[in-house]
C-alpha cells in the first residue's frame, strides 16, 4: 500500500491530500501540520472572505526567476480547474469583477469543507507536528516529527515565512535544502512599507487615491494605482502591496529604494499646471491651502506644501512660477525614501523560495530528489493581490497530489 506524507496542512497541503486520496483510494495519505488546525492561514485570506482565484490568470500575474514554469503549472491547472475543483466539494463561487469568492463569502467555510473532505477520504491529519528532518533511504523516506513517519512519497507544502502566527515559519526551506534544493532569497511580499524621516506622518490615517512607483536608484521597478493609506510609519494599501516585493528585494541587496506618489493620477502635470494658472488668475486672493482644499484631504495639504516650500497662507496671486512648479512636483511625484518593510509577520506572502528550475512543472516532483514533491508558497512564485497566491497553492497541491498518487 502506497504511503504519502504531506508536510504542511495549508491550502496547498490540503489540496494535495484531497487530490492524492481521490486518485488512489488505496493509498495511505496523511498530513503533518504544526498548528492546532489545518488551513489556518486560509481564514485570513480575502479579509476573511477567501478570494480563491481570479478570472484573469497568467504568469504575468506572478514574480519568479522562472516565469515559464509558472506558465506550465497554470496551463495544467488554471482558474477554471480551480472552480471545477471547488464545485466538486460543494462550494459555490461568485465573481466580483473577475475576483472569485465562495458564495457564502466565508473563508472559514472553505477551510471546514476542505477538512471534511479530507476526513471523508480517510486522510489522517496530525496537528502539533513539527518536522525537523526528512531522510531518503533506499526504499522510503523517514520523516522526523517527534514521532517517525515513513513514506513512499513526500509532498513538501510547508509554506513560506509570511504570517508565522498562522503557520508559516520558514522551516520548509531548510528541509528542502537538506534534500538538495537551492532557495532564491526570501523577502516579505504584499506588505506595508516603512518610510525614513516620514514626511507624510502628519497625514497618518488618510486614505486617498493615488499611484505609487518604486525605484531602485533611478530605475523604476514597478507601479500601481488605487486607494493608498498613509500611516504613522509609512504607506499601505493595495497599490503599495502590489509593488512592495520590488522594494523588499532591493532592500535585501542593500540598494537604495525610493517611492514616488502621484496624488493626482487622473490628470497630467500639464493639466494641473493649467488648472493652477487659471485659479491664480481667477481667484488670486484665495490662499494656496484654500485652493487645494477642493482637491485633497485637509490633513494631506500641509505635507504637500511643506515639500514644495510654500507657506499655506500664500495667496495664489503671490505664487510665482518656480513655486507653482514645486507644487506640481509635490502633488504628482512626492518622494519617499523606503527604509524597510513591515516584515514577515505583516506580509501576506513570501517572495522567493525553492527555485522552480529544480521542479518538474508537469508533476511538481523534485528534479533533485526522486519521490519528493513541492507545492505552494515554499516555491519561488509570488502573485499579486487578487486570489493569485491561493490559485498557485491549489494548482501545485492538486498536481503534486495526483502525481504522487499515480506514480
Amino acid at each position: 500500500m502506497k504511503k504519502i506524507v504531506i508536510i504542511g496542512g495549508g491550502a496547498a497541503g490540503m489540496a494535495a491530500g484531497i487530490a492524492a486520496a481521490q486518485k488512489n483510494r488505496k493509498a495511505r495519505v496523511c498530513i503533518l501540520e504544526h498548528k492546532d488546525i489545518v488551513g489556518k492561514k486560509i481564514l485570513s485570506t480575502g479579509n476573511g472572505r477567501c478570494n480563491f482565484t481570479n478570472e484573469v490568470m497568467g504568469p504575468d500575474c506572478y514574480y519568479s526567476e522562472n516565469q515559464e514554469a509558472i506558465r506550465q503549472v497554470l496551463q495544467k491547472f488554471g482558474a477554471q480547474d480551480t472552480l471545477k475543483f471547488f464545485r466538486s466539494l460543494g462550494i459555490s463561487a461568485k465573481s466580483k469583477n473577475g475576483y472569485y469568492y465562495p458564495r457564502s463569502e466565508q473563508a472559514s467555510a472553505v477551510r471546514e469543507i476542505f477538512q471534511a473532505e479530507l476526513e471523508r477520504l480517510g486522510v489522517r491529519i496530525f496537528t502539533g507536528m513539527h518536522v525537523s528532518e526528512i531522510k531518503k533511504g533506499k526504499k522510503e523516506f523517514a520523516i522526523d516529527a517527534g514521532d517517525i513517519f515513513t513514506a513512499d512519497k513526500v509532498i513538501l507544502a510547508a509554506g513560506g515565512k509570511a504570517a508565522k502566527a498562522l503557520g508559516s515559519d520558514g522551516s520548509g526551506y531548510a528541509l528542502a535544502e537538506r534534500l538538495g534544493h537551492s532557495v532564491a532569497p526570501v523577502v516579505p511580499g504584499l506588505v506595508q512599507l516603512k518610510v525614513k524621516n516620514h514626511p507624510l506622518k502628519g497625514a497618518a490615517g488618510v486614505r486617498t487615491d493615488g499611484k505609487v512607483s518604486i525605484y531602485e536608484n533611478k530605475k523604476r521597478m514597478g507601479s500601481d494605482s488605487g486607494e493608498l493609506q498613509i500611516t504613522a510609519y509609512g504607506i499601505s494599501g493595495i497599490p503599495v502591496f502590489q509593488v512592495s516585493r520590488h522594494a523588499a528585494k532591493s532592500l535585501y541587496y542593500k540598494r537604495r529604494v525610493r517611492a514616488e506618489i502621484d496624488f493626482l493620477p487622473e490628470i497630467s502635470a500639464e493639466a494641473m499646471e493649467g488648472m493652477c494658472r487659471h485659479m491664480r488668475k481667477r481667484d488670486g486672493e484665495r490662499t494656496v491651502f484654500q485652493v487645494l482644499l477642493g482637491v485633497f484631504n485637509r490633513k494631506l495639504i500641509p505635507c504637500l506644501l511643506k515639500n514644495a516650500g510654500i507657506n499655506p497662507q500664500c495667496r495664489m496671486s503671490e505664487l510665482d512660477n518656480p513655486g507653482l512648479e514645486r507644487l506640481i512636483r509635490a502633488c504628482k511625484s512626492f518622494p519617499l525614501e523606503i527604509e524597510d518593510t513591515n516584515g514577515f509577520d505583516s506580509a501576506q506572502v513570501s517572495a522567493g523560495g525553492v527555485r522552480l528550475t529544480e521542479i518538474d512543472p508537469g508533476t511538481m516532483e523534485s528534479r533533485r530528489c526522486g519521490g519528493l514533491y513541492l507545492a505552494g508558497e515554499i516555491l519561488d512564485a509570488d502573485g499579486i493581490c487578487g486570489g493569485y497566491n491561493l490559485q498557485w497553492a491549489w494548482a501545485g497541491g492538486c498536481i503534486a497530489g495526483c502525481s504522487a498518487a499515480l506514480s
Side-chain angles (χ1 to χ4, degrees):
M1 182 181 290
K2 180 176 290 186
K3 295 179 291 184
I4 301 171
V5 172
I6 300 165
I7 300 170
M14 295 176 82
I18 291 171
Q22 287 178 341
K23 282 294 180 182
N24 186 344
R25 296 304 301 268
K26 293 182 179 180
R28 281 172 40 192
V29 183
C30 76
I31 294 175
L32 307 182
E33 166 58 40
H34 68 185
K35 299 305 288 184
D36 56 338
I37 60 170
V38 290
K40 196 162 191 173
K41 196 171 181 180
I42 292 174
L43 299 175
S44 67
T45 60
N47 291 321
R49 295 180 297 151
C50 192
N51 173 202
F52 65 87
T53 192
N54 200 293
E55 183 179 286
V56 178
M57 187 59 60
D60 56 340
C61 299
Y62 295 84
Y63 297 100
S64 175
E65 292 180 353
N66 188 347
Q67 296 291 116
E68 174 57 21
I70 294 176
R71 185 192 68 78
Q72 291 181 46
V73 170
L74 295 177
Q75 188 175 48
K76 185 157 187 173
F77 197 100
Q80 291 304 313
D81 298 290
T82 293
L83 290 169
K84 182 179 178 181
F85 179 56
F86 269 56
R87 284 195 299 270
S88 74
L89 300 178
I91 303 173
S92 298
K94 65 186 296 184
S95 173
K96 291 188 175 182
N97 299 316
Y99 292 64
Y100 284 103
Y101 297 83
R103 192 177 184 281
S104 66
E105 295 196 35
Q106 290 183 303
S108 59
V110 173
R111 194 210 69 80
E112 289 178 32
I113 290 170
F114 268 68
Q115 180 170 341
E117 180 66 3
L118 288 167
E119 292 170 351
R120 185 188 73 83
L121 292 166
V123 176
R124 298 187 68 190
I125 298 171
F126 298 87
T127 57
M129 307 294 290
H130 182 77
V131 175
S132 59
E133 191 70 64
I134 306 171
K135 291 183 179 179
K136 186 180 181 184
K138 292 183 179 180
K139 293 185 178 181
E140 61 185 11
F141 291 88
I143 300 104
D144 187 350
D147 295 328
I148 301 296
F149 294 80
T150 58
D152 302 301
K153 307 289 182 180
V154 172
I155 300 175
L156 185 54
K161 292 180 70 174
K164 182 178 179 180
L166 300 177
S168 300
D169 64 357
S171 59
Y173 299 124
L175 295 174
E177 286 178 318
R178 289 197 288 271
L179 291 168
H181 283 282
S182 63
V183 176
V186 179
V187 299
L190 302 183
V191 68
Q192 308 91 342
L193 298 176
K194 294 182 178 180
V195 174
K196 186 176 182 178
N197 300 322
H198 192 11
L200 294 174
K201 190 173 183 178
V206 169
R207 294 171 179 257
T208 180
D209 288 340
K211 178 180 179 180
V212 59
S213 301
I214 295 293
Y215 291 84
E216 181 186 286
N217 296 320
K218 294 184 178 181
K219 181 181 179 182
R220 189 168 78 166
M221 306 300 292
S223 63
D224 199 67
S225 300
E227 186 181 74
L228 304 173
Q229 298 173 32
I230 301 171
T231 69
Y233 58 79
I235 50 176
S236 184
I238 298 297
V240 174
F241 289 173
Q242 303 286 44
V243 299
S244 61
R245 65 103 59 204
H246 299 299
K249 283 285 186 180
S250 296
L251 289 167
Y252 175 87
Y253 290 110
K254 309 297 183 184
R255 295 165 185 160
R256 186 185 177 196
V257 180
R258 175 173 53 89
E260 281 190 3
I261 298 182
D262 182 350
F263 286 108
L264 208 58
E266 63 270 27
I267 68 172
S268 66
E270 291 75 18
M272 183 180 177
E273 180 181 0
M275 180 179 72
C276 289
R277 288 184 182 278
H278 174 72
M279 294 297 290
R280 186 170 61 180
K281 183 176 181 180
R282 193 191 74 175
D283 295 310
E285 293 305 303
R286 295 176 66 187
T287 66
V288 179
F289 183 94
Q290 289 171 331
V291 169
L292 295 183
L293 196 58
V295 183
F296 299 111
N297 184 285
R298 179 184 295 273
K299 289 178 66 176
L300 179 60
I301 297 171
C303 302
L304 297 173
L305 293 178
K306 183 176 180 180
N307 179 269
I310 298 172
N311 188 318
Q313 299 307 311
C314 173
R315 298 183 185 280
M316 287 297 294
S317 60
E318 300 169 341
L319 185 64
D320 58 17
N321 288 338
L324 178 58
E325 291 174 4
R326 294 195 306 273
L327 177 61
I328 293 169
R329 282 198 301 271
C331 295
K332 296 290 294 177
S333 55
F334 196 101
L336 300 170
E337 185 173 352
I338 305 301
E339 63 179 358
D340 202 355
T341 71
N342 244 19
F344 284 109
D345 286 345
S346 297
Q348 293 183 18
V349 70
S350 302
V354 175
R355 289 185 164 90
L356 295 181
T357 51
E358 301 169 4
I359 306 297
D360 179 347
T363 63
M364 306 308 287
E365 185 172 12
S366 166
R367 299 185 193 274
R368 300 292 178 87
C369 179
L372 173 70
Y373 300 77
L374 297 96
E377 195 177 335
I378 194 172
L379 294 169
D380 176 29
D382 57 290
I384 59 175
C385 294
Y388 296 98
N389 291 294
L390 278 179
Q391 170 62 36
W392 178 251
W394 315 130
C398 286
I399 293 170
C402 290
S403 302
L406 296 176
S407 63

